[in-house]
Amino acid sequence: MIVPETAHLDPDTPNIARIYDYYLGGAFNLPADRERAAVIKSVLPGMEMLARFNRGFLRRSVAFMVERGITQFLDLGSGLPTAGNTHEVAQALAPDAKVVYVDYEPVAVALGRRILRNNPNAVMVEADARRVDALFADPAVRDVLDLTRPLGIMMTGVMVFVGDHEDPVGLMKAYRDVCTPGSYIALSQLTDEQADPETKVQVHAMVEAYKGVIEQLYVRDRAGVEALFDGLTLVEPGVTLMPEWQPHPDTDIPTGSPAHHLGYAAVGRVD
Ligand SMILES: C[S@@+](CC[C@H](N)C(=O)[O-])C[C@H]1O[C@@H](n2cnc3c(N)ncnc32)[C@H](O)[C@@H]1O
């Protein structure tokens, strides 16, 4: 396989964004990432499918927002801007759509900036999504986003890293307060609420395996996800399993995979 010149950063340390790229069938991953991915998959065999369901929800929810006139996006905890990420979907539908990707992981940001270097309407910002004031004070964010107009905020696969002790409901409110009416927030979240007993054990083992190695993961039930949407108007079908959020009849084929039950997703509108 040809390793892109952008993939050489810190090649010996597995990187969560590049591991995720590997799950999604992307080209921006290295042997160390694939080795770590194999370890995670040995704990939770449905991991790759889960990543794909998550990315499928991201793609459908970005398209949903563009169809409602959203042409500027803030993607929090974006990982790499590859494998059908936000700007690829948004700019295919609205070529002038602007996207600010945010990740707190320096290798992902450096690699992301190189990937986006020829795209004038997409930038990658290194910031912690839990620090809302600092994020919106960043000139790169202020220059690209016009907060007097509706915004699409993507929070897919990121609140799983924010524990209840960090006030995720308050964090959502802070983002909501920045948004003008007509904005949307899309969110997906790891869950084991509807998993079969064997998969539940696997999820628990993955959470344990992550502790102290990469980041702590937090699992939520439906009520926990609904609480995050307090003050927003949920669009149809509300909080639902990821593959069941407005599935596309041509591309979203039921798989019977246990990963089907491992993520909740929803989109809320700011009124
Ligand atoms: C599972 S990936 C999700 C990728 C993409 N959003 C998606 O849904 O396909 C999670 C990403 O969130 C980033 N991340 C986690 N916590 C973060 C935080 N507090 N601020 C910024 N980025 C964060 C990680 O570095 C990682 O790249």
Side-chain angles (χ1 to χ4, degrees), residues 158-169:
V158 68
M159 287 304 250
V160 68
F161 297 103
V162 180
D164 287 346
H165 62 286
E166 297 177 288
D167 188 19
V169 175

Side-chain angles (χ1 to χ4, degrees), residues 124-247:
M124 186 113 200
V125 171
E126 183 177 336
D128 189 328
R130 293 168 296 189
R131 302 189 56 220
V132 182
D133 290 345
L135 177 61
F136 284 102
D138 189 317
V141 177
R142 297 171 67 96
D143 284 354
V144 177
L145 302 180
D146 174 0
L147 297 180
T148 66
R149 290 175 41 233
L151 185 62
I153 299 187
M154 306 305 299
M155 302 183 80
T156 55
V158 68
M159 287 304 250
V160 68
F161 297 103
V162 180
D164 287 346
H165 62 286
E166 297 177 288
D167 188 19
V169 175
L171 183 61
M172 287 292 284
K173 181 177 182 316
Y175 280 109
R176 203 177 75 218
D177 288 349
V178 171
C179 290
T180 198
S183 299
Y184 290 90
I185 301 181
L187 182 146
S188 61
Q189 164 68 49
L190 178 68
T191 186
D192 65 355
E193 191 175 26
Q194 298 189 44
D196 61 73
E198 187 189 350
T199 309
K200 233 177 225 215
V201 170
Q202 291 170 357
V203 171
H204 183 73
M206 182 177 73
V207 170
E208 288 302 312
Y210 261 67
K211 272 185 192 160
V213 179
I214 301 180
E215 278 281 3
Q216 170 89 47
L217 295 177
Y218 299 93
V219 179
R220 292 193 166 88
D221 58 15
R222 186 195 294 270
V225 177
E226 281 172 350
L228 299 176
F229 281 88
D230 185 42
L232 292 159
T233 303
L234 284 169
V235 307
E236 287 297 321
V239 176
T240 188
L241 293 170
M242 280 189 314
E244 297 176 17
W245 191 90
Q246 299 199 6

Side-chain angles (χ1 to χ4, degrees), residues 58-75:
L58 177 147
R59 295 173 63 86
R60 298 195 303 282
S61 54
V62 169
F64 172 91
M65 292 184 204
V66 174
E67 284 159 14
R68 278 147 193 84
I70 302 291
T71 54
Q72 48 173 3
F73 290 86
L74 178 65
D75 187 330

